[in-house]
């Protein structure tokens, strides 16, 4: 062992990794050293030997044909000791009255640290009176893991050493303990009979299991390290692209008049802001990766200490919690770095367009922010009414939610609410009661102000409401009618949607056009309305059960699917661009309505309540 320790040179400490897989040795469970002093993990050496049938150093190419792989010096504990720069305090003799002499040995059976003089007394007594030879170890070996050599006694029978363990409840026992009873009801295996095994043997089995889990943990650390390196590379690519874009802008500015130079400088400023944005995002991302790597590394070291330095009873009692923590770390999801979106346009006097597009402005996937299930409520409609508020319609209430927590701020009991919309004086809500729909105007505090409109309907299903600064539109799906009102609540006209099989959602656009979802027809249509008729502008088909729909600031259309558990994204020209889903949506039975605000999607999901997602973008620069 001393020879092996001497071979761990300063050069090795500066670059400690396997010569094959480049895994850092501090996370390798079984590290071996070749006679040429180069280090590798056992798995890599075995794989290379099986492939080439010779034991050759991958670093210096020296042939070690006369050495067996299994006989190589094991360095796992040595490397870890090199990592630890702290000095442990000296240990003194337990027998000396004033503990003034350093101990040189430790008797495992007596549990005493002894100086040289008392070791001689101990050995003389053993030779004269004891039938069995006590086990002694050096003080240096004891200092490495003192807890391991402490005799553990039963708390019920203080004089007896723990000798047994239960494979079901992971409790330890002495020989005097009654092990015929069943496991404790507080354990996960409560109710089963104890399955007893000798403590050292069972601890040995659990060590093997934990070693296998540590291999998975090592692989996870490597993947996090690779992501960290990839983030640094991506940031370097961004810098190169920023430089290239600046050069392109400069070449255009040189050909244009003074006015175009001013616009180019503005563009440079935006590019600079883009770089700052990416610097900030990348720094935060790498910081999170560092924290994750540190957490996983600390978990690895803690588990290694449990395996190599702790008592067998500790391994038994801590096995379940350690296994769960390692499994959680191995399954930890670490995504790609998400860079922000920025798009800039400069026009030249010669009517040429110079466009710098840093990324496609479509979301790549959904990230769950939160969910809020409404007790005794059925969420059927939702709308963003402010930067921090949502208006939510239910089958028995109308409610304003804090969008950051989804907690209720104002709530009033009411009849079934099919649709909600923002109005310049407050909010509009479409109620159903006694085969009739009522449009009611509420104040910002949800106080009734006036009846806005009404129409007859046989059922309360499939109806929605939308409003702009100039008009409000209510859907009557039974008659396939759109009822149009001005902002004062005065009825203007109705128009029949002859092409729709079962219209559901309606969304008014600022230019006077209207989007309508056809639940049975599986499509979304865009209309330009006029009294008594309508003109269809386009249709987006191949949608499954489309219901509520909305738009974002860029004009993209978002459509919720009632039963397909997904969100469709449609361009302003009626082309289906993308479909988004999330594992949480697979648990939802039905989706009724959708609203989008600042890249946050909120869904009204019936009995499931309200779900909120953040739209995430690809880490891609074009």
């Amino acid at each position: 062992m001393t020879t092996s320790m001497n071979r761990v040179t300063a050069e090795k400490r500066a670059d400690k990794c396997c010569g094959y897989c480049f895994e850092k040795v501090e996370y390798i469970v079984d590290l071996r050293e070749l006679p040429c002093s180069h280090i590798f993990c056992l798995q890599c050496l075995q794989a290379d030997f099986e492939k080439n049938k010779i034991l050759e150093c991958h670093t210096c190419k020296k042939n070690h044909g006369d050495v067996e792989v299994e006989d190589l010096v094991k360095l796992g504990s040595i490397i870890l000791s090199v990592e630890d720069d702290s000095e442990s305090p000296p240990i003194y003799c337990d027998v000396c009255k004033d503990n003034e002499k350093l101990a040189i040995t430790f008797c495992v059976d007596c549990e005493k640290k002894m100086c040289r003089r008392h070791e001689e007394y101990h050995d003389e007594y053993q030779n004269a009176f004891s039938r069995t030879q006590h086990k002694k170890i050096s003080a240096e070996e004891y200092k490495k893991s003192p807890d391991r050599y402490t005799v553990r006694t039963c708390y019920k029978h203080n004089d007896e050493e723990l000798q047994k363990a239960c494979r079901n409840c992971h409790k330890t026992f002495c020989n005097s303990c009654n092990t015929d009873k069943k496991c404790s009801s507080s354990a996960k295996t409560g109710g089963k009979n104890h399955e007893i095994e000798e403590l050292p043997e069972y601890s040995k089995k659990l060590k093997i299991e934990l070693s296998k889990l540590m291999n998975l943990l090592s692989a996870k650390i490597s993947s996090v390290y690779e992501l960290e390196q990839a983030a640094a590379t991506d940031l370097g690519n961004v810098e190169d692209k920023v430089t290239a874009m600046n050069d392109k802008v400069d070449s255009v500015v040189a050909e244009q008049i003074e006015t175009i130079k001013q616009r180019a400088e503005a563009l440079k400023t935006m590019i600079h802001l883009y770089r700052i944005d990416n610097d900030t995002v990348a720094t935060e991302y790498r910081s999170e990766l560092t924290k994750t790597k540190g957490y996983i590394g600390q978990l690895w070291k803690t588990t290694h200490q449990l395996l190599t330095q702790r008592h067998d009873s500790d391994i038994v009692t801590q096995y379940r919690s350690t296994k769960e923590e390692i499994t959680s770390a191995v399954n930890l999801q670490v995504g790609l770095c998400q860079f922000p979106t920025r798009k800039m346009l400069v026009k030249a006097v010669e009517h040429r367009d110079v466009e710098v597009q840093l990324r496609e402005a479509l979301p790549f996937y959904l990230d769950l922010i939160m969910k809020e299930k409404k007790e005794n409520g059925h969420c059927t409609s939702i709308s963003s009414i402010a930067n921090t508020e949502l208006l939510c319609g239910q089958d028995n209430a109308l409610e304003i939610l804090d969008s950051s927590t989804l907690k209720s701020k104002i709530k009033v009991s009411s009849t079934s609410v099919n649709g909600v919309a923002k109005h310049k004086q407050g909010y509009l809500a479409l109620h159903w009661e006694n085969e009739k729909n009522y449009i009611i105007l509420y104040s910002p505090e949800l106080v009734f102000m006036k009846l806005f409109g009404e129409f007859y309907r046989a059922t309360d299903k499939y109806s929605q409401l939308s409003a702009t600064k100039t008009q409000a539109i209510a859907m009557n799906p039974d008659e396939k009618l759109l009822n149009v009102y001005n902002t004062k609540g005065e009825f203007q006209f109705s128009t029949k949607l002859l092409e729709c099989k079962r219209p559901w959602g309606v969304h008014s656009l600022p230019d006077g056009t209207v989007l309508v979802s056809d639940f049975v027809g599986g499509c979304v249509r865009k209309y330009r309305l006029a009294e008594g008729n309508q003109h269809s502008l386009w249709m987006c088909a191949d949608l499954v059960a489309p219901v509520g729909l909305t738009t974002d600031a860029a004009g993209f259309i978002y459509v919720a699917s009632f039963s397909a558990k997904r969100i469709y994204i449609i361009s302003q020209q009626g082309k289906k661009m993308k479909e988004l889903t999330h594992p949480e949506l697979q648990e939802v039975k039905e989706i009724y309505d959708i609203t989008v605000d600042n890249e946050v999607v909120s869904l009204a999901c019936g009995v499931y309540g309200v779900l909120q997602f953040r739209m995430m973008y690809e880490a891609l620069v074009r």
Side-chain angles (χ1 to χ4, degrees):
M1 180 64 73
T2 303
T3 304
S4 300
M5 179 67 79
N6 292 335
R7 286 199 292 263
V8 183
T9 63
E11 180 181 357
K12 235 183 266 182
R13 291 196 297 270
D15 186 20
K16 298 184 294 297
C17 64
C18 172
Y20 287 95
C21 62
F22 301 105
E23 175 68 73
K24 288 187 177 182
V25 300
E26 58 189 287
Y27 301 123
I28 297 177
V29 175
D30 200 341
L31 183 67
R32 301 299 175 102
E33 182 181 31
L34 291 176
C36 59
S37 297
H38 293 122
I39 54 178
F40 306 91
C41 51
L42 180 62
Q43 288 181 325
C44 291
L45 286 172
Q46 290 174 333
D48 187 67
F49 181 79
E50 291 176 3
K51 179 180 178 180
N52 300 316
K53 305 304 179 185
I54 59 172
L55 185 59
E56 182 182 78
C57 178
H58 191 65
T59 302
C60 66
K61 305 303 180 183
K62 186 174 181 180
N63 192 333
H64 303 288
D66 55 340
V67 180
E68 295 292 333
V69 175
E70 288 74 13
D71 295 336
L72 294 174
V73 176
K74 188 172 182 180
L75 294 178
S77 60
I78 297 175
I79 296 297
L80 285 175
S81 66
V82 171
E83 287 290 318
D84 188 3
D85 296 331
S86 61
E87 296 185 2
S88 57
I91 56 176
Y92 295 94
C93 177
D94 290 333
V95 186
C96 291
K97 292 183 179 181
D98 298 327
N99 285 337
E100 57 186 12
K101 291 189 177 182
L102 292 175
I104 64 169
T105 188
F106 175 78
C107 178
V108 177
D109 296 291
C110 298
E111 294 189 70
K112 295 290 185 180
K113 302 183 288 292
M114 296 173 288
C115 62
R116 186 175 302 280
R117 182 167 61 89
H118 285 109
E119 180 188 22
E120 293 175 357
Y121 293 159
H122 173 274
D123 293 344
E124 290 175 1
Y125 181 85
Q126 284 286 299
N127 294 333
F129 301 103
S130 179
R131 295 182 180 180
T132 59
Q133 189 68 26
H134 284 195
K135 180 181 177 181
K136 295 189 299 179
I137 60 174
S138 68
E140 291 300 320
E141 184 176 354
Y142 172 79
K143 285 172 63 176
K144 293 179 182 178
S145 51
D147 186 62
R148 189 175 186 180
Y149 300 104
T150 303
V151 176
R152 297 291 180 88
T153 57
C154 178
Y155 74 94
K156 292 183 179 179
H157 311 95
N158 290 331
D159 295 333
E160 297 213 27
E161 183 180 355
L162 295 175
Q163 299 282 355
K164 303 175 182 178
C166 173
R167 291 195 297 270
N168 287 333
C169 64
H170 287 220
K171 288 188 175 181
T172 53
F173 306 94
C174 69
N175 290 328
S176 298
C177 288
N178 182 8
T179 57
D180 295 333
K181 297 181 180 179
K182 293 185 177 182
C183 296
S184 172
S185 59
S186 62
K188 292 185 178 180
T189 55
K192 290 186 177 181
N193 292 327
H194 286 305
E195 294 186 16
I196 301 301
E197 189 169 344
E198 292 299 318
L199 182 59
E201 295 300 321
Y202 189 44
S203 174
K204 183 177 180 180
K205 294 178 181 178
L206 295 184
K207 285 181 179 179
I208 295 173
E209 292 297 322
L210 288 175
S211 296
K212 293 178 180 178
L213 289 171
M214 287 175 69
N215 283 326
L216 297 177
L217 202 59
S218 296
K220 189 66 176 182
I221 293 172
S222 296
S223 66
V224 172
Y225 176 76
E226 290 172 1
L227 284 173
E228 183 182 30
Q229 298 302 312
T233 302
D234 288 343
L235 183 58
N237 293 336
V238 168
E239 292 289 344
D240 293 340
K241 292 181 181 293
V242 165
T243 301
M245 287 187 288
N246 278 325
D247 292 342
K248 183 177 180 179
V249 171
D250 286 338
S251 66
V252 173
V253 169
E255 300 173 359
Q256 308 303 319
I257 61 175
E258 186 61 29
T259 54
I260 215 61
K261 288 184 179 181
Q262 295 174 357
R263 295 190 181 185
E265 290 300 322
L267 179 59
K268 282 187 178 183
T269 301
M270 296 183 70
I271 293 174
H272 178 68
L273 292 175
Y274 170 74
R275 183 178 66 183
I276 293 175
D277 290 346
N278 280 274
D279 283 343
T280 303
V281 171
T283 301
E284 293 176 354
Y285 177 72
R286 294 175 69 183
S287 175
E288 289 299 321
L289 286 181
T290 301
K291 292 179 182 178
T292 302
K293 184 174 67 174
Y295 162 71
I296 297 176
Q298 183 60 42
L299 179 58
W300 194 99
K301 291 180 179 179
T302 301
T303 308
H304 184 274
Q305 290 176 356
L306 178 64
L307 286 175
T308 61
Q309 301 180 18
R310 301 301 297 274
H311 195 272
D312 290 342
S313 63
D314 289 335
I315 294 175
V316 172
T317 55
Q318 297 179 29
Y319 169 74
R320 181 171 286 118
S321 61
T322 303
K323 178 181 178 182
E324 291 176 354
E325 192 169 0
I326 292 177
T327 302
S328 176
V330 170
N331 294 328
L332 183 66
Q333 297 297 319
V334 184
L336 296 173
C337 183
Q338 305 300 322
F339 291 111
T341 304
R342 193 180 290 273
K343 183 174 180 180
M344 294 146 285
L345 183 67
V346 148
K347 287 191 175 181
V349 293
E350 296 179 1
H351 304 291
R352 291 185 301 161
D353 287 349
V354 180
E355 186 178 34
V356 184
Q357 183 171 342
L358 303 181
R359 193 187 55 227
E360 183 181 358
L362 281 178
F364 184 53
Y365 66 95
L366 296 175
D367 184 31
L368 180 66
I369 300 176
M370 69 186 80
K371 56 185 177 180
E372 180 70 15
K373 190 169 184 179
K374 299 299 176 184
E375 296 296 334
N376 303 319
H378 191 90
C379 297
T380 55
S381 54
I382 195 165
S383 177
S384 298
I385 55 176
N387 290 334
T388 58
E389 292 180 339
L390 295 169
L391 184 61
C392 179
Q394 305 172 36
D395 60 349
N396 57 7
L398 182 64
E399 189 173 17
I400 295 178
L401 305 177
D402 186 330
S403 60
S404 62
T405 62
L406 296 184
K407 299 300 182 182
S408 178
K409 298 179 71 175
I410 305 175
K411 184 176 182 178
V412 294
S413 300
S414 69
T415 56
S416 180
V417 180
N418 298 147
V420 291
K422 189 175 181 180
H423 185 270
K424 63 181 181 180
Q425 292 181 277
Y427 312 118
L428 293 174
L430 180 63
H431 297 269
W432 184 89
E433 185 179 19
N434 298 328
E435 298 186 357
K436 201 170 187 178
N437 269 123
Y438 301 91
I439 305 174
I440 296 178
L441 176 62
Y442 290 89
S443 72
E445 295 77 27
L446 295 187
V447 177
F448 175 87
M449 293 181 65
K450 75 171 193 175
L451 179 65
F452 203 82
E454 59 184 351
F455 53 90
Y456 288 97
R457 289 198 57 226
T459 176
D460 66 335
K461 303 296 183 184
Y462 311 110
S463 182
Q464 270 202 357
L465 175 71
S466 181
T468 64
K469 293 181 179 180
T470 60
Q471 63 182 12
I473 299 178
M475 172 67 72
N476 183 347
D478 295 346
E479 303 296 332
K480 301 181 183 180
L481 287 177
L482 286 179
N483 297 319
V484 182
Y485 302 84
N486 64 19
T487 56
K488 297 180 181 180
E490 298 169 344
F491 176 77
Q492 300 297 295
F493 61 88
S494 295
T495 183
K496 198 170 185 66
L497 306 173
L498 297 175
E499 299 168 318
C500 293
K501 295 181 180 180
R502 186 65 175 179
W504 182 313
V506 59
H507 183 72
S508 300
L509 300 176
D511 63 358
T513 57
V514 176
L515 299 171
V516 175
S517 64
D518 188 346
F519 178 76
V520 176
C523 65
V524 168
R525 298 176 185 270
K526 184 176 182 179
Y527 292 100
R528 186 172 299 282
L529 300 182
E531 186 171 355
N533 62 75
Q534 80 285 327
H535 174 61
S536 179
L537 301 177
W538 52 253
M539 178 187 72
C540 180
D542 299 325
L543 310 180
V544 179
V547 285
L549 66 169
T550 188
T551 56
D552 65 8
F556 286 106
I557 302 163
Y558 296 78
V559 185
S561 171
F562 182 82
S563 56
K565 303 175 181 180
R566 66 190 63 235
I567 298 170
Y568 299 106
I569 303 179
I570 303 173
S571 70
Q572 298 180 54
Q573 293 74 36
K575 180 182 178 181
K576 184 167 71 173
M577 306 294 291
K578 209 171 190 65
E579 297 181 15
L580 298 175
T581 187
H582 188 276
E584 191 70 31
L585 291 177
Q586 307 310 309
E587 306 296 327
V588 176
K589 181 180 179 182
E590 54 202 12
I591 303 174
Y592 286 90
D593 201 5
I594 182 173
T595 186
V596 175
D597 184 46
N598 291 331
E599 299 183 356
V600 174
V601 178
S602 301
L603 299 172
C605 302
V607 296
Y608 204 80
V610 178
L611 282 179
Q612 198 172 75
F613 300 90
R614 185 175 302 282
M615 293 184 287
M616 308 302 290
Y617 293 84
E618 296 176 89
L620 178 65
V621 177
R622 291 175 180 165

